[in-house]
Amino acid sequence: MSFKALSILAAFIGAANAAITRRVACPDGVHTATNAACCALFPIVDDIQTNLFDGGECGEETHESLRLTFHDAIGFSLSKGAAGGGGADGSMITFADIETNFHANNGIDEIVGEQAPFIAKHNITAGDFIQLAGAVGLSNCPGAPQLEFLFGRPAATAPAPDLTVPEPFDTITDILARFADTGFSPAEVVALLASHTVAAADHVDPSIPGTPFDSTPFTFDTQVFVEVQLRGTLFPGDGPNQGEVQSPLHGEIRLQSDHDLARDSRTACFWQANVNQQAHMASSFKAAMAKLAVLGQDTSTMVDCSEVIPVPPPFTGTATIPAGLSQNDIEQACATAPFPALQVAPGPQTSVAPVPPS
Ligand code: HEM
Ligand SMILES: *[C@@H]1O[C@H](CO)[C@@H](O)[C@H](O)[C@H]1NC(C)=O
């Protein structure tokens, strides 16, 4: 080995050692952290895994906690300044009396009620807790990315105004405009909607609570991007099913917004690009969530505590056309690339089971 190679190697080992010696032992005697401030989070992570997520499930509380990260953070506006809300500041919980009554937040009161006692018990702001719980919960879903977690949001000072959270019956023009006003591009909007692969609706059609958006609501796979692309029937008008599209899969519900995002020329190719592209879906979701989680926050005063987020189990399967259907049932919409060829799941057509309440 040349002297030059040796000195590069020595410098590399030196840097690695410095990184290791920078870790501090936490007072619990179990964990180490790159920043001592992160030590305080390990007991919170353990508590919520056991007592909020039922021992580490990708179940209803995980789904609701992920939805809450969005509904809290999107209370933000580049054009309106402070009057548009404080972003990911915990105002959904701090000002729950106001924000949970907004129409788009229907059902959010449940998870707000479940999370509030953990915030009261631990030394953490509502803004930090909401994003921490969303990231920890998601780590229970096979195929999910390990989300970034920055620590240090101050307490919220005011509620977000109404109408910051998009509704499933909004037009794509309105939805993209709302997201653009928080700094998100159409590609990032589609990236964020990977969240609907671990999701169900209780309130879109209240007669069928717990109805999933895809056939695998406990797995962070790309199946939602396939199933939303199947031909579906829009419920007309603004009746009780406003914003709902009937999926050809029995037991599954589709949001009009997801249906339209999969077909609109501004977003259809981004949508299709996720189909059976697990790594792309996970990495683009992770990047968009990192942005969402700090909307309105001063990241220069925050500490990177991503290391407290558990590493999610992998997903090793592939996307499929649901049993009993064929590639012909796909309503292809991207103008520049064909829909990927997928295997049809074997067996007769089955019905999708609801997500049980816990
Ligand atoms: C165009 C934007 C969006 C619209 C219109 C929308 C709308 C909805 C609606 C209507 C529900 C069903 C709520 C219920 O009836 O119980 C829902 C559920 C959900 N949403 Fe979204 N959403 C959007 C974007 C997002 C984003 C960006 C995230 C997270 C990053 C997210 C995460 C979730 C999750 C995880 C659920 C499932 C909740 C559960 O199963 O309890 N959504 N969404
Ligand atoms: C509570 O958390 C803050 C910010 O992380 C920290 O500065 C403070 O020392 C903590 N207080 C207690 C009692 O642990």
Side-chain angles (χ1 to χ4, degrees):
M1 200 181 284
S2 73
F3 175 74
K4 194 179 172 196
L6 264 179
S7 59
I8 288 171
L9 186 68
F12 179 78
I13 291 169
N17 276 340
I20 290 163
T21 50
R22 270 206 301 274
R23 291 189 76 84
V24 297
C26 293
D28 65 8
V30 178
H31 298 99
T32 61
T34 46
N35 189 309
C38 304
C39 288
L41 297 173
F42 289 110
I44 308 180
V45 172
D46 289 347
D47 191 11
I48 61 178
Q49 280 290 49
T50 305
N51 299 310
L52 180 61
F53 302 130
D54 306 318
E57 287 185 1
C58 181
E60 199 193 16
E61 278 76 22
T62 280
H63 302 171
E64 289 184 334
S65 295
L66 184 60
R67 180 179 179 224
L68 179 55
T69 65
F70 171 53
H71 286 229
D72 186 41
I74 202 73
F76 177 77
S77 165
L78 292 169
S79 62
K80 296 194 178 111
D89 62 354
S91 64
M92 184 68 73
I93 289 183
T94 309
F95 298 97
D97 291 353
I98 296 166
E99 289 192 36
T100 61
N101 293 316
F102 300 159
H103 185 267
N105 293 335
N106 195 1
I108 279 279
D109 58 323
E110 262 180 55
I111 191 65
V112 163
E114 287 179 84
Q115 288 192 3
F118 291 93
I119 298 168
K121 182 173 154 197
H122 296 284
N123 177 26
I124 187 166
T125 63
D128 278 337
F129 186 86
I130 288 173
Q131 299 304 326
L132 178 70
V136 171
L138 189 73
S139 78
N140 299 322
C141 307
Q146 183 191 30
L147 293 184
E148 186 173 294
F149 177 70
L150 300 192
F151 185 30
R153 294 163 190 75
T157 53
D162 197 1
L163 307 179
T164 68
V165 181
E167 294 263 26
F169 46 79
D170 290 345
T171 65
I172 298 305
T173 297
D174 286 353
I175 289 171
L176 294 180
R178 178 77 273 277
F179 274 100
D181 188 34
T182 61
F184 288 97
S185 68
E188 289 172 319
V189 173
V190 174
L192 286 172
L193 282 160
S195 55
H196 284 178
T197 189
V198 285
D202 284 337
H203 302 279
V204 176
D205 186 340
S207 68
I208 44 168
T211 304
F213 294 153
D214 76 357
S215 56
T216 55
F218 312 112
T219 310
F220 198 84
D221 59 8
T222 72
Q223 206 57 32
V224 73
F225 292 102
V226 178
E227 293 171 21
V228 169
Q229 206 77 63
L230 295 166
R231 279 171 233 287
T233 321
L234 182 63
F235 283 95
D238 57 359
N241 301 101
Q242 188 187 19
E244 177 184 347
V245 173
Q246 193 153 33
S247 164
L249 293 194
H250 188 253
E252 177 171 292
I253 200 169
R254 185 185 304 170
L255 297 180
Q256 183 185 321
S257 46
D258 288 349
H259 179 92
D260 291 348
L261 284 165
R263 287 157 180 80
D264 190 284
S265 62
R266 291 164 287 185
T267 46
C269 294
F270 298 129
W271 191 276
Q272 182 179 284
N274 285 307
V275 171
N276 210 17
Q277 297 298 320
Q278 183 71 29
H280 165 74
M281 180 186 74
S283 64
S284 56
F285 178 71
K286 176 174 177 150
M289 283 299 290
K291 217 167 138 174
L292 183 78
V294 295
L295 280 183
Q297 300 299 308
D298 176 4
T299 54
S300 72
T301 64
M302 297 170 80
V303 177
D304 189 342
C305 292
S306 305
E307 62 190 318
V308 309
I309 308 301
V311 177
F315 171 73
T316 52
T318 53
T320 55
I321 305 277
L325 300 176
S326 78
Q327 198 93 15
N328 291 335
D329 293 302
I330 295 287
E331 189 168 55
Q332 206 273 346
C334 170
T336 54
F339 196 83
L342 300 178
Q343 302 282 321
V344 177
Q349 189 162 353
T350 52
S351 162
V352 182
V355 173
S358 43

